[in-house]
Amino acid sequence: EQRVEAIHQAVQTPDAQVAAFLSALANDEVKTVNGKAFIVQNDKAIVPATGNATTLPADAEDVVNNNYLRGVIDVAQAALALNSSDVAERRKAAAKLAAEPDASRVELIDKVLAKESDEQVKSLLERAKAASLLASEDPQQRLHAIAALAHEKTPETQLLLNQRMADEQDPAVKKALQRAVAEIADSLAWGERLGEIFSGISLGSVLLLAALGLAITYGLMGVINMAHGELIMIGAYATYMVQVAFQRFLPEAAFGWYLVLAIPVSFLVSAAVGAILERGVIRFLYGRPLETLLATFGISLVLQQTVRSLFGAQNVGVENPSWMSGGLTLLPNLTLPWNRICIVIFAFLVLGGVAFMIARTRLGLFVRGVTQ
């Protein structure tokens, strides 16, 4: 407890020596003897307060940190990072403090807020300050903190308020907590509903592509194709092979565009395998749908085992290009991943392309004529 209090005091007046000492503590590079501490790096002893080299006493012992102390040191380093010139580092540090509030850091947060210019860092620090004041002994400060946190309407603030509600004894403060939690829950409900709708659309778009192929195959050929999923699988492994080729034979900068080549390759490879199946097996079974069901079921097992033999039983990874990483944040608890957005757009482009082909082209006229 004394060490934790000392760390809290040290970060109130941050300097290079404090940062170096905390870093050494985190890396288990501190030894102590007779109440004096030494930083030991590369078999050299350093006096923490001055940075000067010295001789390490023979009876110096390691400073041991348990998990709780390591967490305190980690947060203290984040507090020091608030003075960094790198705005990304300050944002990361502010988010860390907001996630682990502590009343002892309110004074430090006020100092940093007075000179901070980045709005995102300011917002995170305000949340960290309000969250820290939730544990204040003054009920009025707790009420002000609740009001400040209630405006953010994020899952993080909802969790903080719920945690405080379990310990709150003051009836007025507890009532304010309940009201704030209810308001946040109502606001977040819309994000959850919209997230479920988007998940349904993105998953449904994949099923749409699968159903489109099944509908055309059965409607045109009268074939119940039990190997349809395996043809989709072959397209996926073709995409994986294009990815591997880009990684091995092309510059790293070109990797982000591997999908541009993988999409037509996967379509063509799946189409080629489908054509081989039609020429080799299915053409002899037209008019006998139950026999096509049995035959294509057997073919599906063969294709599955072929893939297992070539690539192994474990799944292989297809990576997102950099331009498909991240997401579009619409609400505090609603972020739409770019890869899923691209899947939905791609599915509807394919649907539109098939509809145009069937309705507007000579090939589509043949398809409609044979089906009818």
Side-chain angles (χ1 to χ4, degrees), residues 31-34 38 56-62:
K31 293 180 182 291
T32 182
V33 60
N34 297 328
F38 301 88
L56 182 69
D59 56 344
E61 298 179 352
D62 291 332

Side-chain angles (χ1 to χ4, degrees), residues 40-346:
V40 181
Q41 296 172 333
N42 301 322
D43 297 325
K44 294 181 181 179
I46 300 170
V47 179
T50 62
N52 296 329
T54 187
T55 302
L56 182 69
D59 56 344
E61 298 179 352
D62 291 332
V63 172
V64 180
N65 298 308
N66 59 21
N67 288 338
Y68 172 63
L69 274 168
R70 289 189 182 279
V72 172
I73 293 168
D74 189 27
V75 176
Q77 287 180 300
L80 293 179
L82 291 174
N83 295 294
S84 170
S85 58
D86 184 356
V87 67
E89 191 172 341
R90 296 203 306 276
R91 287 174 182 173
K92 184 178 178 181
K96 182 80 175 177
L97 294 183
E100 300 188 29
D102 191 306
S104 65
R105 288 192 288 269
V106 172
E107 184 178 349
L108 171 66
I109 292 172
D110 283 335
K111 289 180 182 177
V112 176
L113 273 171
K115 59 182 181 180
E116 181 57 57
S117 57
D118 184 78
E119 291 300 323
Q120 186 174 343
V121 177
K122 280 185 176 181
S123 175
L124 288 167
L125 288 175
E126 291 286 0
R127 184 198 300 171
K129 179 181 176 180
S132 298
L133 289 175
L134 272 180
S136 170
E137 294 181 0
D138 184 355
Q140 288 302 316
Q141 285 195 330
R142 297 204 298 276
L143 287 171
H144 288 311
I146 292 167
L149 290 171
H151 285 302
E152 292 198 18
K153 293 182 171 54
T154 65
E156 293 79 13
T157 55
Q158 184 184 36
L159 177 61
L160 281 171
L161 293 172
N162 273 321
Q163 289 173 339
R164 179 60 202 172
M165 196 183 303
D167 301 325
E168 185 57 57
Q169 301 298 324
D170 188 290
V173 178
K174 194 158 192 172
K175 186 176 180 180
L177 280 168
Q178 291 170 342
R179 185 167 56 249
V181 168
E183 290 176 0
I184 294 174
D186 288 341
S187 176
L188 294 179
W190 278 106
E192 293 172 0
R193 294 188 192 105
L194 293 174
E196 290 172 358
I197 291 171
F198 179 75
S199 295
I201 292 172
S202 64
L203 293 174
S205 63
V206 177
L207 297 178
L208 170 67
L209 292 180
L212 188 63
L214 284 171
I216 292 175
T217 303
Y218 184 72
L220 184 63
M221 303 167 66
V223 172
I224 302 173
N225 183 13
M226 295 295 289
H228 189 66
E230 281 64 38
L231 294 178
I232 296 174
M233 173 191 70
I234 287 170
Y237 276 97
T239 300
Y240 170 71
M241 293 303 297
V242 173
Q243 171 190 278
V244 171
F246 267 69
Q247 289 173 331
R248 292 184 180 177
F249 304 115
L250 292 176
E252 186 176 348
F255 179 75
W257 300 101
Y258 85 89
L259 272 183
V260 175
L261 179 62
I263 289 173
V265 167
S266 62
F267 272 80
L268 291 173
V269 170
S270 294
V273 173
I276 292 171
L277 295 182
E278 197 279 336
R279 292 286 90 185
V281 178
I282 294 174
R283 65 181 299 191
F284 303 108
L285 300 174
Y286 286 132
R288 292 179 284 178
L290 291 180
E291 292 183 28
T292 63
L293 183 152
L294 291 172
T296 54
F297 177 69
I299 291 169
S300 74
L301 297 178
V302 171
L303 292 176
Q304 288 178 33
Q305 189 55 49
T306 301
V307 168
R308 285 195 185 100
S309 300
L310 291 174
F311 298 97
Q314 299 297 320
N315 290 338
V316 297
V318 178
E319 298 180 23
N320 271 344
S322 57
W323 50 272
M324 283 179 63
S325 300
L328 177 64
T329 301
L330 300 180
L331 294 171
N333 64 330
L334 178 62
T335 299
L336 308 183
W338 285 118
N339 58 352
R340 288 197 172 195
I341 293 174
C342 291
I343 287 171
V344 172
I345 294 172
F346 179 73

